[in-house]
Amino acid sequence: MNSEGLLMLLDPEATLEAVASSLRDLPFPWSGDPVEIVGWGFSNVVLRVGTDVLVRVPRTPEAEARSTHTAEVLRRLPPLPLAVPEVLGMLPTGPRLPFGALRLRRLPGAVVDDDVARADREAFTGDLAAFVSALHSCGDEPLLGVLGADGAGRAIDALDAGTAAATADRLAGRERQVFERWATAYRRWLAGAEVVPIHGDVWPGNLLHTSGRLSGVLDWDEARVGPRAVDLCGVWYLGRDFAEEMVSAYAARNSCDYEVLHEETRLAGVRRELRGVTWSLRHDDPEELEESLDKVRRSLHEYLLPPA
């Protein structure tokens, strides 16, 4: 990356101007709708163009690869019970957009919160179970190729030694013992788990509702093949009752053993929180590491530890 591109990625006004300039250079007329930043993270900057278009600007090579992956997945998804973002195209790489940018049609609706989910819990879990079930049953060969049907899903979900060791070293007593038992059980389960097409990050923050009903699913960066429980454990953020009802609805729809699926979801739930530990170690972020470890501790107590 050249110095101009690096400075652009660190400066909001320069990012705005770079995106607007790229939009003006597209081979079709741009309406001139206002451009504003609506999200600024370590990996991506998200801008809204008018009311209907989002532009995601990667800030790292890794984020660029994830944007490319997301676009490929979204283009190959079959019709699903809930809406997914439509890919409008890419903005090309250049001196001020060193990793390009992904243009998406903005989905209508608002992000789900506890009040929306609890207003009609049965409808919420039923709609979500129908969506996840439909995704898990996708067998389209081009889609499976993009998702990594060659076994990449298992590799992504594997618990790396660095994460396991760093976590165990920072736990003590009963928590450490339970974590080590969890790690053994998780590895044993993953070694034999059936893999299916998964979204990979199903949780309330990636779900949209319209008039109180689920309407869309965002953020397909983690889409891959993997164990089905990965797409069920994120509902635990809404509470144990939601998680159990979601597992029950999914098990009934797919003729699965509820008890087995429930246990798999608990194993996947702890693994989900460990992703933050991996990220923190990779980016040498001690503050984020402590926050991630707190989430791991809570997940151990929520999923595995009976009351003391």
Side-chain angles (χ1 to χ4, degrees):
M1 182 193 305
N2 61 34
S3 59
E4 183 182 4
L6 177 60
L7 290 173
M8 186 283 297
L9 292 175
L10 298 176
D11 181 80
E13 291 302 320
T15 302
L16 278 169
E17 175 53 35
V19 169
S21 177
S22 293
L23 290 170
R24 286 192 292 268
D25 291 341
L26 290 175
F28 51 84
W30 172 44
S31 64
D33 288 333
V35 181
E36 61 178 325
I37 293 175
V38 294
W40 189 278
F42 179 85
S43 298
N44 295 283
V45 182
V46 180
L47 303 95
R48 185 170 59 217
V49 182
T51 59
D52 297 327
V53 176
L54 295 177
V55 177
R56 191 171 80 167
V57 181
R59 301 183 68 190
T60 66
E62 179 184 6
E64 179 186 21
R66 291 162 76 91
S67 283
T68 301
H69 172 75
T70 294
E72 292 176 346
V73 170
L74 291 173
R75 285 173 171 142
R76 288 168 173 80
L77 283 175
L80 293 168
L82 300 176
V84 304
E86 175 191 355
V87 177
L88 298 176
M90 308 290 289
L91 294 180
T93 59
R96 295 194 298 169
L97 286 179
F99 306 118
L102 174 61
R103 295 168 51 242
L104 298 165
R105 180 79 64 192
R106 181 172 175 266
L107 291 177
V111 174
V112 164
D113 58 22
D114 285 5
D115 291 339
V116 170
R118 293 183 184 282
D120 192 339
R121 189 170 70 191
E122 183 176 355
F124 177 88
T125 54
D127 290 346
L128 188 54
F131 167 81
V132 172
S133 298
L135 176 61
H136 290 179
S137 66
C138 291
D140 180 70
E141 289 298 329
L143 173 63
L144 292 176
V146 171
L147 293 177
D150 57 358
R154 292 180 188 274
I156 292 173
D157 288 310
L159 178 63
D160 66 275
T163 297
T167 303
D169 287 347
R170 289 166 172 80
L171 299 175
R174 190 162 171 250
E175 288 179 339
R176 176 163 183 162
Q177 293 172 1
V178 171
F179 174 76
E180 291 174 344
R181 290 202 302 270
W182 169 85
T184 298
Y186 179 81
R187 290 188 177 105
R188 184 184 304 120
W189 165 60
L190 188 62
E194 176 190 2
V195 294
V196 296
I198 63 172
H199 174 277
D201 196 14
V202 176
W203 74 294
N206 283 335
L207 302 175
L208 296 177
H209 74 96
T210 303
S211 301
R213 293 295 296 268
L214 281 179
S215 58
V217 182
L218 305 173
D219 195 352
W220 288 77
D221 280 9
E222 298 290 337
R224 59 190 185 276
V225 294
R228 62 185 71 236
V230 173
D231 277 349
L232 304 178
C233 65
V235 184
W236 283 87
Y237 291 121
L238 293 171
R240 183 183 295 272
D241 53 347
F242 269 96
E244 293 177 347
E245 190 161 331
M246 175 67 180
V247 173
S248 178
Y250 182 95
R253 181 177 287 272
N254 296 279
S255 300
C256 299
D257 184 303
Y258 170 82
E259 295 299 334
V260 171
L261 188 60
H262 189 270
E263 179 61 23
E264 292 173 347
T265 303
R266 288 152 64 98
L267 292 173
V270 177
R271 178 67 184 94
R272 177 184 176 88
E273 302 304 350
L274 284 164
R275 285 163 32 184
V277 175
T278 302
W279 188 95
S280 302
L281 293 172
R282 182 185 305 158
H283 297 285
D284 192 24
D285 188 332
E287 183 176 347
E288 182 63 32
L289 177 59
E290 285 307 312
E291 292 182 8
S292 297
L293 288 167
D294 283 343
K295 292 177 181 178
V296 172
R297 292 186 182 97
R298 288 197 296 270
S299 71
L300 289 173
H301 282 270
E302 176 68 22
Y303 304 140
L304 302 174
L305 277 169

